[in-house]
Amino acid sequence: EEALNKKPTNYTWGVLDIDEFIQKITQEGITDAKVEQVASGYIIHLPNEDTLIQVEDSSTHIFCEGDMLLRQKLRTILLQCLNKF
Amino acid sequence: LVMKDSSTCLMDVDEACREAGINRHFVRFTSTLRMEDPGPSSKTAEKLLQLIKARLKDWHVQLTDGSISVESVLVKVEGNEDEQKSVYVSWDNQDEELGSYILGLLQTMGQ
């Protein structure tokens, strides 16, 4: 645990382009995404992966079970779709 | 570190973003674990607290309102006494390393 980095990696900014995100996860083999528009933004449901992604203008929250590889895959794609500094 | 009007100053990230008109996008993760641990959920939370404290000696680990927190990482235990417990582990993207470390730690414990 001594090797844990206390400094943040990077900060994300901007609005998530839902279409770009869906296209990228589809390319990575996640093909069951269902997008629902709600008052606060969008909810992306991935039923086969037991995952829910809540997207608002200034935030994205990924809810998933304990599958580390799936979460890391979604994280990588999400970060590709957002601006960083 | 922000340069403004030919002077330099230290600024909080949120404040610097506000000044520069950058709309931050916050990314958070929540993962759920199931744990067989008979007894009240507060007892399970106490065990997890001790485990995390023992592994993260240099970090400020605290228990508030039944939730364990370290930086932006939050660990919450839910479930009745005679039930399997659900453990929710959530964290901000900035604390990815810490969050996934704690999740991995609790996953090993649950097995």
Side-chain angles (χ1 to χ4, degrees):
Chain A
E1 67 273 19
E2 284 75 18
L4 278 174
N5 192 357
K6 286 196 183 192
K7 283 183 285 185
T9 43
N10 49 42
Y11 296 98
T12 43
W13 61 279
V15 178
L16 179 69
D17 182 332
I18 297 279
D19 294 336
E20 186 193 359
F21 180 69
I22 299 291
Q23 193 188 340
K24 281 187 192 281
I25 61 169
T26 307
Q27 282 165 0
E28 288 294 323
I30 302 171
T31 54
D32 60 331
K34 288 179 179 56
V35 182
E36 187 192 345
Q37 194 163 10
V38 292
S40 56
Y42 295 91
I43 290 177
I44 304 169
H45 190 203
L46 311 175
N48 295 344
E49 287 78 12
D50 224 346
T51 295
L52 213 67
I53 305 167
Q54 205 173 51
V55 184
E56 296 182 10
D57 277 353
S58 59
S59 69
T60 298
H61 196 153
I62 297 182
F63 297 85
C64 53
E65 298 294 308
D67 186 342
M68 202 74 110
L69 288 177
L70 169 75
R71 193 190 57 79
Q72 275 164 354
K73 188 194 268 190
L74 292 171
R75 175 177 186 264
T76 306
I77 298 169
L78 178 65
L79 294 184
Q80 282 169 6
C81 296
L82 289 168
N83 304 301
K84 291 178 282 293
F85 67 89
Chain B
L1 195 65
V2 178
M3 272 189 76
K4 195 176 144 193
D5 303 332
S6 73
S7 65
T8 318
C9 62
L10 258 183
M11 229 184 239
D12 173 58
V13 179
D14 292 326
E15 199 186 339
C17 284
R18 260 197 312 275
E19 288 253 340
I22 294 171
N23 50 333
R24 280 189 63 192
H25 193 103
F26 297 92
V27 176
R28 199 164 170 89
F29 302 95
T30 297
S31 287
T32 315
L33 304 174
R34 315 270 169 230
M35 221 172 253
E36 290 291 350
D37 187 39
S41 54
S42 57
K43 275 265 189 305
T44 307
E46 186 59 42
K47 282 183 204 169
L48 300 184
L49 174 73
Q50 296 314 326
L51 176 77
I52 295 169
K53 270 189 169 172
R55 294 297 187 98
L56 296 173
K57 290 195 170 67
D58 294 342
W59 298 73
H60 183 53
V61 185
Q62 53 181 350
L63 182 68
T64 322
D65 298 331
S67 294
I68 301 162
S69 63
V70 196
E71 301 288 332
S72 77
V73 186
L74 269 181
V75 179
K76 196 173 171 57
V77 183
E78 282 184 7
N80 291 328
E81 226 165 284
D82 48 351
E83 279 177 347
Q84 196 185 38
K85 305 289 183 298
S86 294
V87 181
Y88 300 96
V89 186
S90 67
W91 65 92
D92 284 344
N93 182 50
Q94 282 86 343
D95 289 321
E96 167 68 17
E97 212 173 319
L98 179 65
S100 53
Y101 173 78
I102 292 177
L103 176 65
L105 179 68
L106 302 186
Q107 269 171 335
T108 346
M109 191 208 175
Q111 280 162 6

